[in-house]
Amino acid sequence: MSGRLRNRVREARLRLGLSQQELAARTGVTRQAIGAIEAGTMAPSAAVALRLARALGCRVEDLFWLDEEPPEIEAEVVTIDPGETEPAPGPTPVRCALARVGGRWVAHPLRGERAFATELVPADGLARPGSSPRRWRVRLLDRPEDLARTVVIAGCSPELSLWARAAETTHPGLRVRRLFANSVTALHLLRQGAVHAAGVHLVDPATGEENAPFARRLLGGQAVVLVHLGVWEEGLVVAPGNPLGVRGVTDLARPGVAIVNREPGAGARLLLEQCLAQAGVPPAAVAGFDREVPGHLEVARAVAGGQADAGVSTASVAAAYGLGFVPLRAVRYDLVVRREYLDEPAVQALLGTLDNRWVRAQLAALGGYDTTRTGEVVAELAG
């Protein structure tokens, strides 16, 4: 099976802030050769490909691949209850986990609660009181050099967990810890130096600019870069088939409609407040506006369980739970990284996985999540 050679050399180079000439000097080729490789008009030799990967902090297969159609298999669908039949896929494919069991392929549909995992997190150390309430003594349960390959990200997007797992799979030795936090709290943690990066999806109501205004205001002038993870659809999650006929935020004020809301600082709550203000609907007119849950999954669970008729979340979460979705806007989800952390090998390794086709395919498979520009540096804020 043949295919065209594709590459992400340009994206990887720009993410590290390198010019074509600087990359050429690091790899021992001409600037013109770098330009031709990025344009796809020249295929590098094995030696040049290896030097490019080393200079860009990633693997050769992360930079170059053959554009081929993946193979297909037939698998036996597994249901939790033997008496049930799993609904067949509709126009939109269903994400599945696959395994070979007893010589046959079996497929576990990733729907509802099965699309997410709650697991006991392994500990890295055991803490005892230290020199002050903010300084603890920690006995390590792993080697310091292995713990140093940990990247900590704060954010509320379920996609961050998927990215973390995919990155660890493609980059053995890399460790990614995700702290659940809404966008504003994530930026505060970044400002304190408690995390390497913050995931944000915030839109300035005055200018329509995404994420950068909040980073400028909340990070106290720290030098940061904004790396694009994807564009996701945000909107109202409703019951399957939308039985109440909710078409927009004005319908949330109708009698008999109750919502569940996110906490202050969450991008989903800010979106709802902005949309209600634009529609001239006071929050007090919406039943359940003050009923808060701490995350996107909790919104979906409340609607799926009948505890609420609607709530703001994303198209990918709605799809995972088989719920209806009323789009309100598409918003950029960015990773805000302090510039001083970009030189850390673990951070470079994690960001390098955004060029990996498997990682990008996992994000794209969620639905309602555009990965066309994943990995691009969309803004740089000077300190």
Side-chain angles (χ1 to χ4, degrees):
M1 184 166 51
S2 62
R4 181 182 174 186
L5 184 66
R6 304 280 188 176
N7 76 84
R8 296 197 186 282
V9 174
R10 180 178 182 274
E11 291 92 329
R13 172 176 62 80
L14 293 178
R15 190 161 53 247
L16 295 180
L18 298 175
S19 67
Q20 287 186 340
Q21 186 61 54
E22 289 170 326
L23 182 57
R26 292 188 181 192
T27 53
V29 299
T30 65
R31 183 193 62 77
Q32 289 79 8
I34 296 296
I37 291 171
E38 291 183 350
T41 59
M42 172 182 170
S45 67
V48 171
L50 287 167
R51 291 201 295 269
L52 282 168
R54 183 171 56 196
L56 295 172
C58 58
R59 302 179 303 173
V60 170
E61 53 265 46
D62 294 336
L63 289 178
F64 301 96
W65 71 94
L66 289 175
D67 196 5
E68 300 173 332
E69 285 294 322
E72 289 191 356
I73 58 151
E74 189 161 284
E76 182 178 332
V77 181
V78 176
T79 58
I80 299 299
D81 187 341
E84 294 182 353
T85 300
E86 193 73 30
T92 303
V94 175
R95 296 171 61 245
C96 295
L98 291 170
R100 288 280 288 181
V101 181
R104 75 194 196 286
W105 286 104
V106 296
H108 295 261
L110 298 176
R111 286 170 161 157
E113 293 297 306
R114 284 183 286 167
F116 306 93
T118 301
E119 302 170 339
L120 190 64
V121 178
D124 295 327
L126 300 174
R128 292 180 173 83
S131 58
S132 73
R134 296 180 62 87
R135 300 285 297 177
W136 292 355
R137 295 289 300 172
V138 181
R139 180 166 60 86
L140 301 185
L141 299 178
D142 205 343
R143 298 187 305 170
E145 55 268 32
D146 293 333
L147 297 178
R149 291 183 56 78
T150 303
V151 181
V152 185
I153 303 174
C156 66
S157 167
E159 286 81 355
L160 291 177
S161 295
L162 187 148
W163 177 36
R165 184 170 181 179
E168 290 174 339
T169 299
T170 59
H171 229 295
L174 177 66
R175 296 155 37 96
V176 185
R177 294 285 193 226
R178 178 204 168 195
L179 297 181
F180 183 85
N182 65 48
S183 296
V184 171
T185 300
L187 288 172
H188 283 304
L189 288 169
L190 183 63
R191 178 174 180 170
Q192 297 169 29
V195 299
H196 292 93
V200 295
H201 59 112
L202 299 166
V203 179
D204 188 329
T207 65
E209 188 179 1
E210 298 173 83
N211 299 327
F214 296 87
R216 292 190 193 99
R217 183 164 64 248
L218 298 176
L219 293 180
Q222 293 177 354
V224 298
V225 298
L226 276 65
V227 179
H228 180 65
L229 291 187
V231 175
W232 65 8
E233 288 185 274
E234 291 183 313
L236 298 173
V237 174
V238 296
N242 197 2
L244 297 181
V246 174
R247 302 301 175 196
V249 295
T250 56
D251 292 326
L252 301 182
R254 288 180 0 213
V257 178
I259 73 164
V260 65
N261 203 357
R262 290 290 306 282
E263 75 284 5
R269 185 188 182 101
L270 182 61
L271 170 59
L272 179 59
E273 292 173 344
Q274 291 171 354
C275 290
L276 290 174
Q278 291 169 1
V281 177
V286 178
F289 184 87
D290 293 328
R291 181 184 168 202
E292 299 172 3
V293 294
H296 291 283
L297 301 188
E298 287 76 8
V299 170
R301 288 169 183 156
V303 175
Q307 288 84 43
D309 300 308
V312 175
S313 189
T314 68
S316 58
V317 170
Y321 279 88
L323 299 172
F325 184 73
V326 180
L328 295 177
R329 73 176 179 193
V331 66
R332 206 176 67 223
Y333 194 89
D334 292 334
L335 197 69
V336 185
V337 187
R338 284 169 61 167
R339 188 174 297 162
E340 64 192 276
Y341 298 157
L342 291 177
D343 292 330
E344 297 188 14
V347 174
Q348 290 184 355
L350 176 62
L351 294 180
T353 65
L354 293 175
D355 292 324
N356 184 279
R357 283 196 305 149
W358 185 74
V359 172
R360 293 166 69 98
Q362 289 295 317
L363 293 173
L366 293 170
Y369 199 79
D370 183 357
T371 59
T372 304
R373 299 178 59 197
T374 294
E376 289 187 20
V377 174
V378 292
E380 296 188 41
L381 307 182

